[in-house]
Amino acid sequence: MLQRVIRSLKSFRSNMAHLVSMLDSVVFRVGLLAALRSQRFNGQTVGVMITASHNPPEDNGVKLVDPMASWEEHATLLANTASNSHDALLDTYMRLQSELKIKPESPARVIFARDTRASGPALVEALVDALKATHTEYTDFQILTTPQLHYLVRCINTKGSSRAYGDPSEKGYYEKLSTAFRKLMQSRKPHGYITVDCANGVGGGKLRELIKYLPTPAEGGVEIRVVNDDVANPERLNYHCGADFVKTQQRAPPSSQAGQLARCASLDGDADRIVFYFVDSDTHFRLLDGDKIATLAASFIGELAKTAGLADQLRIGVVQTAYANGSSTVYINKILHLPVVCTPTGVKHLHRAATKFDIGVYFEANGHGTVVFSDEALRTLAQHEPRSPGQKSAIESLQALTELINQTVGDALSDLLLVEVILAHKAWGPQEWNQTYTDIPNRLVRIEVRDRFMFKAVDAERKLEEPEGLQAQIDALVPKYALGRSFVRASGTEDAVRVYAEAATRSEVDDLAQKVSMLVQRAAR
């Protein structure tokens, strides 16, 4: 199950009425697309999530949660139909219905939810108008995190089958995670507490609800201190808090009061990504981003597979993008002895590559990611006969991980519990985790250009095919810097390109990034 994101081409940062007037036609078209998609796949349930994730509170957008492969070209066709012509939109809808061989009488089922943004209820009305117009059966789950909606879609579509994913309710989500967490924390003692910044978004209330199902600290559970969970004032969403703030600013939210060496985490606005961090004994801020989460998870799963006697039967791998820090890749290859696959940026690419492994771990550096277990891996775990108590315990832990981890999409709440479990098993604090490897100094530079489409990337976006000659210039420059690496990637949504650079020291990486940026600016003229 993959997430498809359809957003307006601009961020509409003005008054509420203007935002809704601009986005309601976008949401209406997503409703049409969701109905068609459900019909095309025999009434399979499709989800629609109204959210703008880590963006400012005045923005909004919509995500399509579906059970099958990509429909991006159909989405583009609907999105580009003239906004001022109902006849044109109807013609496009009928054309798609015909081309996809969809019978008008075929059933359509859609579920939807929204985050806490003030514009959400008005956009829900536009969505419902589309669902009513197409005679679609729909259910409004009101306020949820994006991963919770993914969970519900998977549960509904697998209910009654041999691959049933869980109880299709919000309560079922909490019960599944908490039951697995209790199993994994048996005879394990967490160290101290963790402070979780919820970006003043939907994740705050949902985390507080999840805590009700978890063991208390007195029962051996983790003490979770929730901060930045004010949804009564929508304008505070993502303001000086949240995962994106921490990642880009490289500092804790100003409201964070956590002490030295205390574990901290930040969710984003719709709780589909998470980053961890702490202040070390020298009062330096230390970020534990998606690369650190991926290596921690891969390390733990690899150790369990070895203890269970399944290291040769389960192919475990890690999927990264070109933005992954070079040190993390070396650590996975040389220390964990696991294969690494690099894909283009975007969850759809990472998720697809992860499914090629028996157990595939993927996280983007921004903290969005999950672990995917294949059907063959699940069968192996179910059928393997342990030969010792240690093997039995390891197999049970791996089975519990398949329940704790939300395999449908990156899920901040699930990933929070996953990290807490692993740290408890290893008896680590954040400092021990951070010491597994040291990031190579890196720099990301954004450059505005007149035409981003002139920059064409290949090799999982690590090389440029066009403009002709630019890659050769970058290749000639990089070896002059110790541990040098740099690539150029065009933005997917705006006329800009991004230059990523790594080098052994901060001064070297700044110099490399500046010189590659100059090459890009020269080529863009």
Side-chain angles (χ1 to χ4, degrees), residues 416-466:
L416 169 67
L417 298 184
L418 171 64
V419 166
E420 286 299 305
V421 162
I422 298 173
L423 294 181
H425 275 250
K426 290 179 174 286
W428 280 3
Q431 187 155 270
E432 290 82 3
W433 177 14
N434 187 54
Q435 289 171 344
T436 52
Y437 65 86
T438 301
D439 280 335
I440 300 171
N442 57 88
R443 181 88 185 274
L444 183 64
V445 180
R446 177 183 177 276
I447 303 170
E448 291 188 3
V449 296
R450 285 181 297 179
D451 179 15
R452 70 181 185 273
F453 295 106
M454 68 182 292
F455 294 87
K456 296 183 179 178
V458 294
D459 188 23
E461 301 176 332
R462 292 175 289 191
K463 299 285 185 181
L464 280 176
E465 187 175 57
E466 295 180 10

Side-chain angles (χ1 to χ4, degrees), residues 235-473:
E235 69 277 5
R236 297 189 62 186
L237 173 66
N238 295 319
Y239 181 71
H240 286 177
C241 60
D244 191 63
F245 174 87
V246 172
K247 174 69 174 172
T248 58
Q249 298 296 315
Q250 294 287 302
R251 61 189 176 99
S255 57
S256 175
Q257 301 296 319
Q260 289 182 343
L261 301 180
R263 300 192 306 284
C264 300
S266 286
L267 322 182
D268 72 335
D270 64 338
D272 67 354
R273 54 175 155 133
I274 186 171
V275 295
F276 296 79
Y277 48 95
F278 69 103
V279 175
D280 68 16
S281 53
D282 295 322
T283 70
H284 293 136
F285 174 82
R286 303 296 182 186
L287 177 67
L288 299 157
D289 63 5
D291 293 341
K292 291 282 187 178
I293 300 170
T295 54
L296 183 72
S299 159
F300 184 58
I301 292 169
E303 290 166 1
L304 287 176
K306 184 176 180 180
T307 303
L310 294 171
D312 295 331
Q313 296 183 49
L314 295 174
R315 186 164 180 259
I316 303 166
V318 181
V319 184
Q320 297 184 318
T321 71
Y323 289 109
N325 193 276
S327 282
S328 71
T329 308
V330 171
Y331 177 76
I332 296 165
N333 281 148
K334 304 297 185 183
I335 305 301
L336 301 184
H337 303 293
L338 296 175
V340 178
V341 171
C342 186
T343 73
T345 302
V347 172
K348 65 181 180 182
H349 301 297
L350 288 128
H351 195 102
R352 187 181 302 126
T355 61
K356 303 292 178 62
F357 293 101
D358 292 319
I359 304 176
V361 180
Y362 75 86
F363 277 85
E364 293 182 294
N366 64 18
H368 185 285
T370 190
V371 182
V372 181
F373 294 77
S374 70
D375 289 342
E376 182 59 32
L378 296 178
R379 280 192 292 270
T380 298
L381 293 174
Q383 296 171 5
H384 185 71
E385 290 291 337
R387 298 180 179 179
S388 69
Q391 283 195 356
K392 182 174 183 293
S393 176
I395 291 170
E396 289 174 349
S397 290
L398 284 167
Q399 288 174 320
L401 284 179
T402 69
E403 298 291 306
L404 178 69
I405 296 166
N406 186 345
Q407 298 180 53
T408 67
V409 74
D411 183 340
L413 303 188
S414 168
D415 293 337
L416 169 67
L417 298 184
L418 171 64
V419 166
E420 286 299 305
V421 162
I422 298 173
L423 294 181
H425 275 250
K426 290 179 174 286
W428 280 3
Q431 187 155 270
E432 290 82 3
W433 177 14
N434 187 54
Q435 289 171 344
T436 52
Y437 65 86
T438 301
D439 280 335
I440 300 171
N442 57 88
R443 181 88 185 274
L444 183 64
V445 180
R446 177 183 177 276
I447 303 170
E448 291 188 3
V449 296
R450 285 181 297 179
D451 179 15
R452 70 181 185 273
F453 295 106
M454 68 182 292
F455 294 87
K456 296 183 179 178
V458 294
D459 188 23
E461 301 176 332
R462 292 175 289 191
K463 299 285 185 181
L464 280 176
E465 187 175 57
E466 295 180 10
E468 186 176 352
L470 179 55
Q471 186 60 51
Q473 293 176 295

Side-chain angles (χ1 to χ4, degrees), residues 498-509:
R498 290 177 172 82
V499 172
Y500 180 84
E502 290 181 357
T505 65
R506 174 56 60 190
S507 61
E508 285 183 292
V509 75

